[in-house]
Amino acid sequence: MRAGTTLVRLADMTEKITRINPEHLHETPGYHHITVVETGRTAYLAGQCPLDRNGDLVGVGSLETQVDQVVANALAALAAVSARPEHVVRSVIYVRSDERDVLGAAWRRLTESALSPAFTTASTLLGVAQLGFQGQLVEVDLTVALPD
């Protein structure tokens, strides 16, 4: 390990998930540049969309409402595989906007939610031109190292 490298380990999965920010890379707003997983089972969640249980889009025109629904859906998907946000090892966040302020608002809403530990890992935030459902403003894709 190089001097100055920051390591963060999860208490419940000691030495199975390690998050690293090498000293020679820029500081981040909460995520880590590298996530190392030493576990045997991985779950790949489909992109979590702002759809309710009936498949209807919620919060038309409201990024905040849509982010909240995505968070609820992601938490339900994680629970279905006996995982928590702390077990997420990679996230990709898609926001339908090319405005930096809108992307920042989505990031803040996600990192202040119950799903926030998922975004301390390797993470990418993208502004996109279109998402799958008409009126959809946000989608979150998660990769999870499942607990033993």
Side-chain angles (χ1 to χ4, degrees):
M1 189 75 48
R2 291 192 320 231
T5 299
T6 302
L7 294 176
V8 177
R9 295 192 188 272
L10 295 178
D12 68 326
M13 294 182 68
T14 303
E15 302 196 22
K16 292 194 178 190
I17 299 175
T18 306
R19 294 177 171 92
I20 304 168
N21 277 331
E23 67 180 78
H24 299 297
L25 295 178
H26 65 86
E27 289 189 31
T28 67
Y31 67 89
H32 287 81
H33 285 284
I34 302 165
T35 302
V36 178
V37 179
E38 298 175 39
T39 186
R41 296 180 343 127
T42 305
Y44 302 88
L45 278 58
Q48 298 300 296
C49 300
L51 304 178
D52 65 16
R53 187 179 180 130
N54 297 321
D56 296 323
L57 184 74
V58 302
V60 175
S62 172
L63 180 65
E64 295 81 11
T65 301
Q66 289 195 11
V67 167
D68 293 349
Q69 185 67 49
V70 165
V71 166
N73 293 349
L75 291 170
L78 289 170
V81 292
S82 300
R84 296 188 315 275
E86 293 84 3
H87 298 121
V88 171
V89 295
R90 175 93 174 112
S91 66
V92 181
I93 304 153
Y94 303 92
V95 181
R96 187 172 182 249
S97 180
D98 63 355
E99 295 181 29
R100 189 164 277 139
D101 289 346
V102 175
L103 274 66
W107 176 259
R108 282 187 300 280
R109 187 79 173 195
L110 287 164
T111 59
E112 293 171 357
S113 74
L115 191 58
S116 66
F119 305 108
T120 64
T121 193
S123 190
T124 300
L125 174 64
L126 299 168
V128 298
Q130 187 66 41
L131 290 165
F133 296 94
Q134 183 156 346
Q136 181 181 355
L137 302 174
V138 63
E139 185 166 330
V140 175
D141 180 359
L142 302 174
T143 303
V144 184
L146 295 174
D148 296 330

